[in-house]
Amino acid sequence: MKILVIQNRMGIGDTVIFLPYIKALSIKFNSPISLLVKESSKADQLLFQTNYIDKILLLERDKKMNDKHNGFLGSLNIIKDIKKYNFDKIIIFNSSFRFYLIAKFSNIPQIFQYPLFQKNQQHITDTPKKFMKDKFSLDINDDPEIQINDELISQSSKKFQIKKDEVNILLGIGGSGPTKRIPAKTFIKVIKMILKKKKCKFFLATGKDNDEQLILNEILKSEYKNLCIPLDNLSIKETLPVISNCNLSICNDSSFSHLSAALGVKTITLMA
């Protein structure tokens, strides 16, 4: 059986939040699930080794009017891209009439979707929970799961000289906006307090945004710089095995808190 799920929220955290629903569908129908997602979801980098995921189709659509999947011609392109896979079912985690028509014209026999034209005030977890219960009689209470194989984790451990006699800690210092970012001085205080108790190494996860880089550079200029390894030049795909090697994750309310938790790392989220 071939099943396509459309989850068109834009963020990495959004993608991770929906994984329990996708995994439950895979188990129910005894089939890996293909995804149609936005490129900004980074699903192709997150889920390349997750066994309940099949194909990942990228929705090439943003504010630029010339993107492949924008507008009427873009809808035709999506239909063309979907049709070649001959999906048996499609599950649409939104209320878009556009996606309903795309599913219809893609000749997918079974279509399951949120109620049409009810986009406003849809809760990110309550709405899919109700949808899964109403449509598939599934109660979803599991945590998200991202899978990375032991070989990649071992290779990462060697590359970054990760030692078992140290406590390896991910510091998710980046954030998608200024309201979610914790100041560098707070993270420096956290490092100082932990080092009083344990021998540690800290992995600094952040993006390339100017404000994020300021936080990173302030930490790297502190007295603890030799214990800190920046990860900002790595892709998400390259970062996941590093996170998997960590014993603990302390993060802003950002994608890295979602990723570390989904990799099974004990995670503390700091709220600004």
Side-chain angles (χ1 to χ4, degrees), residues 111-235:
I111 301 171
F112 303 90
Q113 185 178 12
Y114 285 6
L116 293 173
F117 312 116
Q118 295 186 21
K119 182 178 179 180
N120 292 337
Q121 298 181 336
Q122 287 183 345
H123 192 273
I124 191 169
T125 56
D126 291 347
T127 302
K129 276 188 176 183
K130 184 177 186 304
F131 174 72
M132 294 289 284
K133 179 66 173 178
D134 292 346
K135 296 293 185 181
F136 305 107
S137 300
L138 292 172
D139 291 306
I140 310 300
N141 296 297
D142 295 335
D143 294 325
E145 179 190 11
I146 296 173
Q147 298 164 352
I148 300 292
N149 70 30
D150 291 340
E151 182 179 355
L152 281 182
I153 295 172
S154 178
Q155 290 172 358
S156 177
S157 177
K158 292 176 183 177
K159 180 179 179 179
F160 291 95
Q161 300 180 344
I162 298 174
K163 300 175 182 178
K164 298 296 184 184
D165 62 344
E166 295 176 331
V167 178
N168 298 288
I169 300 176
L170 178 77
L171 294 182
I173 63 175
S176 58
T179 59
K180 292 188 175 183
R181 295 186 193 125
I182 303 296
K185 63 182 181 181
T186 301
F187 282 105
I188 293 170
K189 287 180 182 178
V190 168
I191 292 171
K192 181 179 180 179
M193 290 187 339
I194 293 175
L195 287 173
K196 289 180 180 179
K197 302 289 185 180
K198 296 285 184 179
K199 181 181 179 183
C200 301
K201 182 180 288 184
F202 301 90
F203 296 88
L204 310 182
T206 188
K208 289 293 189 180
D209 179 271
N210 286 338
D211 290 337
E212 293 177 296
Q213 288 292 303
L214 288 173
I215 295 171
L216 173 64
N217 289 331
E218 186 174 341
I219 296 172
L220 291 178
K221 289 177 182 177
S222 73
E223 61 183 296
Y224 307 110
K225 61 184 179 181
N226 292 332
L227 299 174
C228 296
I229 299 175
L231 304 178
D232 58 315
N233 288 324
L234 300 184
S235 67

Side-chain angles (χ1 to χ4, degrees), residues 21 45 61 89 92 235 239 256-257:
Y21 312 115
Q45 295 191 48
R61 182 186 182 214
K89 300 179 190 291
I92 306 171
S235 67
T239 303
F256 290 107
S257 63

